[in-house]
Amino acid sequence: MQVELKPCPFCGEAAELDTRQGFRHYRTGEPMEKVSVYCISCSAEISHYPGDLDCDREETAELCIAAWNRRAGDNDV
């Protein structure tokens, strides 16, 4: 997936997309994977578990990218 990510809105550094970022479920401790866009410098992050949004992994990535790239003052908010 070719993505264009805006710089971090907090520190201005580069961001990366990780479509299989590991985490553990907060209740069960079960290993799971989420989609995440994060800053490589300050660790600002937006992420979603695909099952929470009733979307597949690709759709979830598109939603995370759109949310990361949205800025105050954008007309399409």
Side-chain angles (χ1 to χ4, degrees):
M1 169 184 282
Q2 184 73 10
V3 298
E4 264 191 57
L5 296 170
K6 289 184 179 179
C8 177
F10 302 104
C11 74
E13 295 295 325
E16 291 186 353
L17 172 68
D18 185 348
T19 60
R20 299 203 178 270
Q21 188 176 58
F23 74 102
R24 290 197 176 271
H25 190 276
Y26 73 98
R27 283 191 221 161
T28 66
E30 176 185 355
M32 302 179 86
E33 293 178 337
K34 63 183 175 180
V35 175
S36 179
V37 175
Y38 63 93
C39 174
I40 62 171
S41 181
C42 75
S43 299
E45 174 183 342
I46 184 162
S47 60
H48 290 290
Y49 170 65
D52 288 343
L53 301 174
D54 197 29
C55 296
D56 65 24
R57 192 169 301 280
E58 187 171 324
E59 291 170 317
T60 302
E62 290 171 5
L63 290 170
C64 283
I65 292 165
W68 179 269
N69 286 338
R70 188 175 304 123
R71 298 293 189 262
D74 283 354
N75 293 332
D76 61 328
V77 176

